[in-house]
């Protein structure tokens, strides 16, 4: 069966540390993988996209890796801050007409000061 | 959120009544989507549209219908609301399939069916 899983429902880390979130999928062949941030009571906000032929993508303190052999993406937040506390969603994009994003259930990150 | 508005933000309705949620965009994007978000399930696709009058079903479309008569508006109708349709509903837009810019989501509609 097709599945997309994020490693844990909750992750707690201390300010200044690197947070690493995992997204694994089975029986999908995405052309892109996207990451979103969602704050309580708000809609998801797009953060980063990585293509299937890219190994790594960076944006400020964010870094995403994509391993199509392992069928896994890692999302890193370096020098984490309490303001980074939110739920992070990964999403698969098949990149084909007639398809829509398929979302994982999310990981809630809490950064304590 | 900029360019996309959902209404109403909150609604309480009775079982068996029809309910319509509205999504309005000012971005002129071709693609529009309705998702529902529930604890333990994450975001699940209900219906999507790839143009005016062009719609298709998603993963959890039973009990829902949609209409898109104008580029800017995408309506989601619950034909006869049930308690299992209590959820938070999100509308999203994108300019094309495989977009490099992700989806833009609305702020959501919290629907409670009693």
């Amino acid at each position: 069966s097709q599945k997309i899983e994020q490693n844990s429902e909750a992750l707690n880390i201390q300010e200044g540390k690197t947070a690493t979130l995992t997204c694994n999928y089975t029986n999908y062949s995405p052309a892109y993988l996207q990451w979103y941030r969602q704050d309580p009571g708000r809609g998801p906000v797009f953060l980063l996209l990585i293509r299937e032929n890219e190994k790594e993508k960076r944006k400020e303190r964010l870094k995403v890796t994509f391993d199509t052999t392992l069928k896994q993406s890692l999302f890193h937040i370096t020098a984490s801050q309490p303001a980074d506390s939110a739920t992070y969603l990964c999403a698969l994009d098949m990149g084909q007409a007639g398809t829509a994003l398929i979302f994982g259930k999310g990981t809630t990150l809490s950064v304590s000061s | 959120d900029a360019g996309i508005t959902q209404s109403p933000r909150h609604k309480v309705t009775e079982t068996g009544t029809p309910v319509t949620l509205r999504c309005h965009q000012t971005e002129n994007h071709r693609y529009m989507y309705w998702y529902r978000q529930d604890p333990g399930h994450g975001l699940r696709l209900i219906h999507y549209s790839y143009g005016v009058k062009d719609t298709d079903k998603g993963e959890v479309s039973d009990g829902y219908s949609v209409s898109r008569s104008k580029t800017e508006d995408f309506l989601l109708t619950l034909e006869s609301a049930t308690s299992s349709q209590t959820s938070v509903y999100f509308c999203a837009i994108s300019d094309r399939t495989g977009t490099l810019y992700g989806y833009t989501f609305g702020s959501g509609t919290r629907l409670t069916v009693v």
Side-chain angles (χ1 to χ4, degrees):
Chain A
S1 64
Q2 295 176 312
K3 288 191 298 184
I4 174 171
E5 295 178 315
Q6 296 190 237
N7 58 325
S8 58
E9 287 189 14
L11 181 64
N12 301 303
I13 64 169
Q14 282 194 315
E15 184 175 9
K17 302 293 187 183
T18 296
T20 298
L21 286 64
T22 304
C23 178
N24 294 290
Y25 59 92
T26 55
N27 294 323
Y28 285 113
S29 297
Y32 312 90
L33 195 142
Q34 302 186 14
W35 284 89
Y36 289 77
R37 169 183 173 139
Q38 186 174 23
D39 292 289
R42 307 291 297 273
V45 175
F46 173 72
L47 295 175
L48 276 173
L49 173 150
I50 187 165
R51 303 179 191 188
E52 60 178 336
N53 60 353
E54 294 179 316
K55 295 290 187 185
E56 182 179 297
K57 197 78 156 296
R58 292 176 184 261
K59 178 182 176 183
E60 298 173 354
R61 294 185 295 111
L62 309 180
K63 184 178 85 171
V64 173
T65 63
F66 192 13
D67 188 325
T68 56
T69 301
L70 292 178
K71 296 187 182 297
Q72 180 182 80
S73 175
L74 300 179
F75 177 80
H76 306 272
I77 305 175
T78 59
S80 59
Q81 306 166 358
D84 295 325
S85 298
T87 296
Y88 292 87
L89 309 172
C90 69
L92 305 182
D93 183 351
M94 302 304 138
Q96 300 168 355
T99 63
L101 290 183
I102 303 164
F103 284 87
K105 296 177 183 178
T107 296
T108 298
L109 173 67
S110 296
V111 182
S112 56
S113 57
Chain B
D1 291 293
I4 179 171
T5 307
Q6 289 184 236
S7 59
R9 289 296 314 276
H10 301 271
K11 185 169 182 67
V12 179
T13 193
E14 292 187 349
T15 298
T17 60
V19 177
T20 296
L21 309 183
R22 181 184 185 230
C23 179
H24 178 78
Q25 61 144 330
T26 58
E27 303 295 324
N28 200 35
H29 283 348
R30 177 180 176 186
Y31 297 91
M32 299 185 76
Y33 311 85
W34 278 107
Y35 286 87
R36 60 179 288 176
Q37 188 172 40
D38 305 287
H41 289 279
L43 282 161
R44 292 180 292 173
L45 182 69
I46 305 171
H47 281 279
Y48 65 97
S49 170
Y50 43 94
V52 173
K53 299 192 189 306
D54 291 323
T55 64
D56 207 346
K57 296 179 180 180
E59 175 190 359
V60 290
S61 60
D62 287 348
Y64 302 94
S65 63
V66 290
S67 67
R68 191 169 178 200
S69 58
K70 298 184 291 185
T71 298
E72 57 266 36
D73 289 324
F74 192 30
L75 304 180
L76 176 71
T77 297
L78 287 66
E79 310 287 349
S80 176
T82 67
S83 59
S84 65
Q85 293 176 312
T86 292
S87 186
V88 180
Y89 291 86
F90 287 101
C91 177
I93 60 175
S94 70
D95 60 344
R96 61 185 182 276
T97 300
T99 177
L100 300 181
Y101 306 101
Y103 288 8
T104 300
F105 281 83
S107 297
T109 294
R110 182 172 293 276
L111 177 68
T112 303
V113 183
V114 297

